Structures are given as C-alpha cells and as structure tokens.
Amino acid sequence: MSKRHDAIFDDVLKDLSAPAASDKAGARFLKRSNALAESGEREEKVLRWVDPAICVMWTRHNRAYDLLNEDNCRDLIDSLKAQGQQEFPAIVRKLPAGQGAEYEVICGARRHFAISWLRANNYAQFRYLVEVRDLTDEEAFRLADIENRDRADLSDYERARDYLQALDIYYGGKQKTMAARLEVSEAWLSRYLHLARLPQPILDAWPRLTEIKELHARSVRPLLQDAEEKVLAEARAIAAEQARARAGQGAHVPVPRVLARLKEAAHGAAPAAEKQVQGPLAVERRGKKIRLEFPDTLSEADLRAALDHFLAEHFRQ
C-alpha cells in the first residue's frame, strides 16, 4: 500500500475508540495491538468470528454485491479453502437492536460472499472474521474507497457510481472538497464522475457493467456532444442485442465493436478503401490516407523507379 493510502487510513482511524469486548457463546476473540503514531499510546482491537448471516452490506458499500458470484470470487474461495480460514478481517459497524442483523459491512463484501458460499457448500466450519469500528458515514466511505482503490476486481463503474453518490451526500456537490478529502486530483475524480453520468442506454450497450472503463467514457463523451440522438439510438439497438445475448440468444457484441458502432453513428462509417496496382506497388486509399505495399524481394532500383512514378502521378492530380 502506498504512503498516500497509509496517510488516508491514519486520518480515517486516528480518533476512533476501541470497541469493548463482549462475551458471547461460541464467539472467538482475537486481539491485535495498534501503535498510535502521534500519542504513542496503544489501542487494543477485538476481532470476532461471526456467522455471515448476521451481517448486511452497508447501503453505501462501493461494491455491487449483486454482481458477485462463484466465478468472480473463485480466487478468494480457493484461497480461503487453502488457508482454512479468513486471514484479513472485514470492517463492520454495529447496528442498533431490532435491525434484523447485528453488523453492517463497510469493507469486505467479497469476503462475506466467499464465506457465505463456502458455508452453503459443505464448508460449514468457516466463519466471517470482522473488526467492529465506530465510523461516521463519511469516514466509512473514505475507508472503503482507499481499501478498494487499487483492486482490479472492483470495476471502474462501481467506483464511479460510488463517487457520484458520495459527491452530493458527503461533500455538498463540491468536487474540489471531495478530491482533497480523497487525496486525488480533481481531474482524476472528474473522469470517474463522467463515467457515472453516462446515459443509461450507453451503459446498457456494454456486455456487462463491469466491462465499461473510465477510458471508454472519455471516448464516448465527445460522440454524445457531436450527435447525441444518433449515438443514443444506436446504443439502444446494441443494448437490445446484448439483452438477447444474456438470454442465450446469440453472442454479445464485444466492447471494441460497441465503440466502433457508436463512432459510426456519430460520424458515419469510415470510407471504404480504394485499391489500385501501379506496377510493383499496391496503392490503397482510405479517406485522406494512402498506404503503399510492395514485395520485399523488389530491388532498390526497381523500388526507386516505382516510387518516382507514383509521386509523379500523385502530384499531377
């Protein structure tokens, strides 16, 4: 983890008090010490093994839990089976009595899914390792963000959607304030916000939401500015094809083809290539570009003669 990430963790957690330990039947407690940098005091933290069924996802969790499945959690499931237990605790908050669950998960959705899957598939001995924290919503948001920022298994769109919601909820719509709190540049944050603001037909045109990248949003944004109605119409047509593919009727439209079709909708199809043969040269014209091909066995003298002839014809036009 980078020094910047460490600094954000310190800022989020520096004023938190240690949760009191409680004695519950069947509960197992693990303790770890954390040296507080500024005061030099030590804080005892209690980790608990719990049934994942008593935990629910925080409504502002930055990972879309419904997108988790056995396939995209397979690496974690296999790792847990190999280790025999969960090594790194999830971070949770205690819920008020009467909520139907005891804890809400701030960080650790994949761990929650993997442990739940294992318990439901003949590994009932697995339990969910959690660390209970007392966090404000804004602190919880920043902590979840920094834990997942560099993880490839969190999609750009999940991250972007989380940022857009947090912008209004925690920072009053002030992008500069949010960027400062997250310790990122405004430009970096802005790119993710643009992704989250893409119209729904564009999002539906991708094979899966998890496949749409921040880079794709940068490509699509000028297309919408140039020809919004045409681009959205084509996006709806692609989305219909993707929906049929999800229903088992045909193949998905791959991402490169999605982008190509949206560009064609905005600017028209690229001009077809015109091919001519001029002696040993094959001349291909596409729009304002010309491509020349010649056999690698052509002698230098013959190549020079062919190029001289091509240039004379070209500039005579």
Side-chain angles (χ1 to χ4, degrees), residues 99-121:
Q99 295 293 311
E102 289 190 39
Y103 304 104
E104 62 179 356
V105 179
I106 306 302
C107 303
R110 287 185 85 237
R111 281 162 282 181
H112 183 275
F113 179 90
I115 295 293
S116 299
W117 187 93
L118 285 165
R119 288 172 62 87
N121 288 272

Side-chain angles (χ1 to χ4, degrees), residues 196-241:
R197 290 173 174 139
L198 285 177
Q200 191 61 44
I202 298 294
L203 300 176
D204 293 340
W206 256 251
R208 299 171 188 83
L209 271 179
T210 52
E211 293 185 51
I212 187 166
K213 307 294 184 184
E214 174 270 320
L215 181 63
H216 298 152
R218 276 189 266 171
S219 298
V220 171
R221 189 183 179 201
L223 303 180
L224 291 170
Q225 292 174 338
D226 293 342
E228 182 174 1
E229 291 186 9
K230 292 180 180 179
V231 172
L232 290 180
E234 182 62 21
R236 292 186 184 97
I238 299 171
E241 295 176 43

